[in-house]
Amino acid sequence: MHEPTITPDLIAAHGLKPEEYARILEIIGREPSFTELGIFSAMWNEHCSYKSSKKWLRTLPTSGPQVICGPGENAGVVDIGDGQAVVFKMESHNHPSYIEPYQGAATGVGGILRDVFTMGARPVAAMNALSFGAPDHPKTRQLVHGVVAGVGGYGNCFGVPTVGGEVRFDPAYNGNCLVNAFAAGLADADAIFYSAASGVGMPVVYLGARTGRDGVGGATMASAEFDDTIEEKRPTVQVGDPFTEKRLMEACLELMQTGAVISIQDMGAAGLTCSAVEMGDKGGLGIKLDLDAVPQRETGMSAYEMMLSESQERMLMVLRPEKEAQARAVFEKWDLDFAIIGETIAEDRFLILHGNAVKADLPLSTLASSAPEYDRPHAETVPPAPLDPASVPAVDPIDALKALIGSVNYCAREWVYQQYDTMVMADTVRVPGQGAGVIRVHGTDKMLAFTADVTPRYVAANPFEGGKQAVAEAYRNLTATGALPLATTDNLNFGNPERPEIMGQFVGAIRGIGAACAALDMPIVSGNVSLYNETDGAAILPTPTIGAVGIIRDPETAIMGRAREGHVALVLGETQGHLGQSAILWEVFNRAEGDAPPVDLEAERRHGDFIRANHALIRACTDLSDGGLALAAFEMAEAAGVGVHLDSDDMATLFGEDQGRYLIACNFDQAEALMIAAGRAGVPLFSVGRFTGDTVRLGRAQAPLAELSALYRETFGAVFG
């Protein structure tokens, strides 16, 4: 097959800048072959190399006594006691999902599940955080249907419960939806599998499904902006098969029990290239591959196509040679391909053979750890002036509540999560729609809580406070179940980092996230950066999603009850009535104005500790975030089928989004005991109303709970069903 001539246009089409190509020439001392150009393009793109973000990611807190493995592996690993560990990560599949919604979302789920079981963990929970454009945008309906079906189609068939997540709509995502997938698994703390190859002359083994042409160039596509050529990128989207993935997981976990595995890496972005290079680089070894041995499902594939294919459900392992027959038998039993396609070598080389010809011969270490790293210019975001409360017109508080619960951003989400299997494996304690999701750790008394949070409007206005708030809200969501937050994973979705204002958003958000993770003892153990989320120069809202995991060691300390008739409504935390960048300002007045609410991290920690210390006095609990007290009280009442009467009719008091606050429901004598405890602990606790009857009353305004519940439950289906 004739290889194309390397031209400036071809170099640009591979996402490489002229100065990066000059560096390649300097490294290898000659013009690269077409396959070598593809390999450099794959390893040096933003998606694989983190070249614009590495400098800032290094500043995040990533360690703690609970951390077994931090960033740099397929997923993070955190100790949960009794010799057990939770393994988790969040990762984006944004660009593929916009081009081909079903397969883009499905393979995003498949990829994150592989990241978890590659480490030796059996997946036990999944979440997703989805951001779409305006509901009336011509593409939004197709994206919502395709993405939700893809997430459900893959996760349900694979057999892992979806226990939480979030869905948002904003015109800023019209040209770029976000699909962030999270998975968590359980493993023995002393049986974690890593990706660093070791030993010279060890067989490199290809496992799983066969290689096709789907997804060729996917990682490079994911590292570029969109324009009017978007439809031409459809072939770069992978195609998933959850049933093959299920078999692959069972085969891998079975093989791991035999002691045959030296190292293992899933084939995700950039496929065979990235997996082989990362294994070799982490182990300080070279890799030699013979592509004639790669199982293929299409004929006449070139070395370039095989090295850059992102066909799904594939793994790469370095095996102990004496265990080869045993390993092959396991994979044949599960009806999966098993092929020795190369070996580890002592020299720093990435040697690719195909058809008796050398297609690539590169110094391996330059592909990964020596990839370009940029300190991009960044313009710090100047936060807007505080919102003047007098500029917000007074409206009937029930009408304001109706505007929120009748919006696709704050109505009930059953239409989405009813398409997901939330109960498979029979360990789900709390399904989506009620705050953090909770599962039992099978065969123990422990439970794990999961949440995914960010408020992009806050981050756009004030990246530092917005970054802090995303972590703080995750902390509160876990705390409200009685869980102790353990650690976080981040999915940092931003526009083009070559624009100083976008890089400024990124830097500010990282600083805020780092400050909050340190103050709240929630280190970042894994994550993903997704840049260039913009179309024709219009960027998404900065969306650094925080996925967090917490532990409930004793079921007696869980807070899982519901409000009921006669319960007192209490707010823990100070209410100043902050309306800047609030949900009510956006949904009622279509205004995104003012500064984001400030986050007092010391108060967050004090209030969280108070909730956990006094769990026995609390019947139901939720954090106050978007929509403030009014929305939280309505949701708590609606879930319990009981009315709620709040004392205030002041807009700022009802809908302000001051941070560090929780709404608590309990009976009168428990409320008295909590007040005494709050006085001793020096935390502010206020009675704000009670749960009673069958109406929602905000000051003097009221409406039947049934009427509001119908609006809340039916809006999403009415818009998208």
Side-chain angles (χ1 to χ4, degrees):
M1 181 186 285
H2 177 67
E3 292 201 343
T5 306
I6 309 292
T7 64
D9 285 350
L10 188 68
I11 293 161
H14 280 74
L16 290 164
K17 300 267 193 284
E19 60 271 20
E20 290 174 338
Y21 183 69
R23 186 166 169 184
I24 290 169
L25 296 180
E26 193 181 313
I27 286 169
I28 62 176
R30 57 177 169 78
E31 183 179 88
S33 69
F34 181 51
T35 302
E36 289 173 333
L37 182 72
I39 288 169
F40 270 109
S41 157
M43 291 307 302
W44 283 14
N45 69 55
E46 201 70 58
H47 193 78
C48 294
S49 73
Y50 294 91
K51 59 191 176 187
S52 297
S53 57
K54 269 191 288 203
K55 171 187 163 79
W56 300 103
L57 296 177
R58 289 192 194 102
T59 67
L60 291 168
T62 58
S63 59
Q66 70 273 44
V67 178
I68 294 173
C69 175
E73 275 294 340
N74 289 289
V77 186
V78 174
D79 195 327
I80 58 169
D82 309 308
Q84 291 180 299
V86 60
V87 177
F88 64 95
K89 189 183 185 184
M90 196 169 213
E91 197 155 78
S92 59
H93 232 222
N94 304 336
H95 285 53
S97 299
Y98 190 79
I99 297 167
E100 178 53 71
Y102 184 94
Q103 291 296 350
T107 52
V109 174
I112 200 66
L113 289 168
R114 280 197 307 282
D115 280 337
V116 166
F117 70 75
T118 299
M119 303 289 292
R122 181 174 290 276
V124 292
M127 294 190 294
N128 51 83
L130 312 176
S131 302
F132 299 105
D136 57 359
H137 186 269
K139 196 163 167 84
T140 299
R141 184 183 171 86
Q142 175 217 351
L143 288 170
V144 170
H145 277 262
V147 165
V148 171
V151 169
Y154 205 102
N156 297 354
C157 294
F158 181 87
V160 64
T162 297
V163 299
E166 55 178 2
V167 187
R168 76 175 52 82
F169 297 86
D170 190 282
Y173 304 100
N174 282 348
N176 269 89
C177 65
L178 301 183
V179 175
N180 293 176
F182 169 100
L186 291 170
D188 291 337
D190 61 355
I192 305 298
F193 286 82
Y194 298 100
S195 56
S198 66
V200 173
M202 297 296 161
V204 175
V205 184
Y206 173 113
L207 308 163
R210 297 186 169 195
T211 295
R213 290 187 171 92
D214 55 320
V216 171
T220 303
M221 175 271 293
S223 302
E225 293 178 45
F226 283 155
D227 52 30
D228 54 12
T229 64
I230 186 169
E231 283 303 313
E232 297 167 16
K233 297 182 169 78
R234 192 174 297 274
T236 62
V237 178
Q238 313 87 336
V239 178
D241 177 358
F243 297 108
T244 298
E245 177 123 331
K246 175 74 171 169
R247 287 184 288 126
L248 180 62
M249 176 189 74
E250 297 295 353
C252 286
L253 293 179
E254 185 176 329
L255 184 61
M256 287 166 173
Q257 298 296 314
T258 67
V261 180
I262 294 175
S263 65
I264 178 167
Q265 177 80 28
D266 85 293
M267 289 195 225
L272 192 52
T273 291
C274 194
S275 55
V277 168
E278 287 191 2
M279 287 173 97
D281 187 60
K282 287 176 185 172
L285 294 167
I287 301 276
K288 174 184 174 184
L289 299 178
D290 180 359
L291 299 186
D292 295 337
V294 170
Q296 297 158 57
R297 66 165 187 261
E298 299 184 46
T299 56
M301 288 187 73
S302 66
Y304 177 94
E305 290 170 326
M306 277 191 271
M307 291 307 294
L308 298 191
S309 165
E310 293 183 13
S311 294
Q312 295 292 286
E313 293 87 40
R314 301 180 302 158
M315 293 284 202
L316 202 63
M317 284 189 190
V318 177
L319 284 186
R320 299 191 190 284
E322 68 275 14
K323 301 259 189 180
E324 181 195 326
Q326 191 177 2
R328 188 183 295 275
V330 168
F331 275 77
E332 286 175 353
K333 181 184 90 171
W334 287 100
D335 194 23
L336 293 163
D337 276 290
F338 176 101
I340 294 176
I341 64 166
E343 63 176 347
T344 58
I345 55 179
E347 309 101 291
D348 178 22
R349 286 175 84 188
F350 192 39
L351 184 59
I352 310 298
L353 309 174
H354 185 227
N356 295 320
V358 173
K359 293 295 181 179
D361 188 355
L362 300 168
L364 186 143
S365 61
T366 61
L367 295 168
S369 48
S370 302
E373 183 174 330
Y374 297 122
D375 184 2
R376 295 203 185 275
H378 60 277
E380 201 166 313
T381 305
V382 179
L387 182 77
D388 177 6
S391 74
V392 183
V395 296
D396 180 284
I398 289 291
D399 289 343
L401 179 62
K402 284 180 177 177
L404 286 182
I405 63 177
S407 141
V408 289
N409 275 313
Y410 301 108
C411 65
R413 298 291 198 263
E414 283 119 320
W415 186 92
V416 175
Y417 59 74
Q418 281 177 353
Q419 298 185 54
Y420 306 150
D421 191 334
T422 60
M423 301 302 289
V424 64
M425 303 177 87
D427 279 319
T428 304
V429 177
R430 191 189 237 191
V431 297
Q434 302 172 42
V438 181
I439 65 159
R440 279 180 291 271
V441 177
H442 196 77
T444 76
D445 284 338
K446 293 180 297 209
M447 292 187 269
L448 291 171
F450 303 97
T451 187
D453 299 285
V454 66
T455 307
R457 273 193 318 278
Y458 294 172
V459 188
N462 188 329
F464 180 69
E465 291 297 334
K468 279 163 63 180
Q469 192 276 338
V471 177
E473 187 176 337
Y475 175 86
R476 290 196 302 272
N477 271 324
L478 297 176
T479 296
T481 68
L484 175 69
L486 286 175
T488 55
T489 180
D490 58 4
N491 203 150
L492 307 172
N493 308 274
F494 290 82
N496 183 346
E498 295 167 52
R499 291 167 55 197
E501 67 274 20
I502 299 292
M503 199 63 207
Q505 291 176 341
F506 183 86
V507 172
I510 285 274
R511 285 177 171 150
I513 289 166
C517 285
L520 301 174
D521 194 18
M522 295 168 69
I524 298 269
V525 297
S526 57
N528 171 243
V529 177
S530 175
L531 302 175
Y532 297 95
N533 289 291
E534 50 184 86
T535 298
D536 295 328
I540 59 161
L541 287 173
T543 311
T545 310
I546 298 293
V549 179
I551 188 162
I552 300 168
R553 298 191 189 279
D554 178 350
E556 295 295 314
T557 65
I559 305 171
M560 302 274 184
R562 295 189 180 227
R564 59 172 173 76
E565 176 67 41
H567 270 171
V568 178
L570 302 169
V571 167
L572 173 65
E574 292 282 359
T575 299
Q576 307 285 342
H578 185 100
L579 288 173
Q581 300 299 332
S582 63
I584 203 75
L585 198 66
W586 177 249
E587 297 293 348
V588 176
F589 303 106
N590 198 29
R591 291 163 58 186
E593 296 170 22
D595 200 355
V599 180
D600 180 339
L601 293 170
E602 287 182 15
E604 291 281 4
R605 182 143 192 167
R606 270 198 313 278
H607 299 173
D609 289 344
F610 180 82
I611 294 284
R612 279 184 292 276
N614 293 280
H615 62 85
L617 299 172
I618 299 170
R619 287 291 156 264
C621 184
T622 184
D623 89 303
L624 299 193
S625 52
D626 285 36
L629 171 60
L631 184 59
F634 166 77
E635 289 177 341
M636 190 181 273
E638 200 273 343
V642 64
V644 63
H645 296 177
L646 296 180
D647 302 330
S648 177
D649 60 3
D650 176 63
M651 280 279 288
T653 301
L654 289 170
F655 296 101
E657 297 181 3
D658 305 280
Q659 298 297 296
R661 297 184 302 156
Y662 297 82
L663 175 64
I664 294 166
C666 59
N667 57 36
F668 186 77
D669 56 347
Q670 292 168 325
E672 280 196 318
L674 276 171
M675 287 286 192
I676 293 165
R680 288 190 184 130
V683 297
L685 185 67
F686 306 95
S687 172
V688 295
R690 62 197 176 104
F691 293 90
T692 185
D694 57 5
T695 62
V696 173
R697 186 184 297 164
L698 307 177
R700 290 180 295 279
Q702 63 177 1
L705 176 65
E707 175 195 327
L708 297 176
S709 182
L711 176 64
Y712 179 64
R713 295 278 164 194
E714 292 165 11
T715 291
F716 206 99
V719 175
F720 293 110

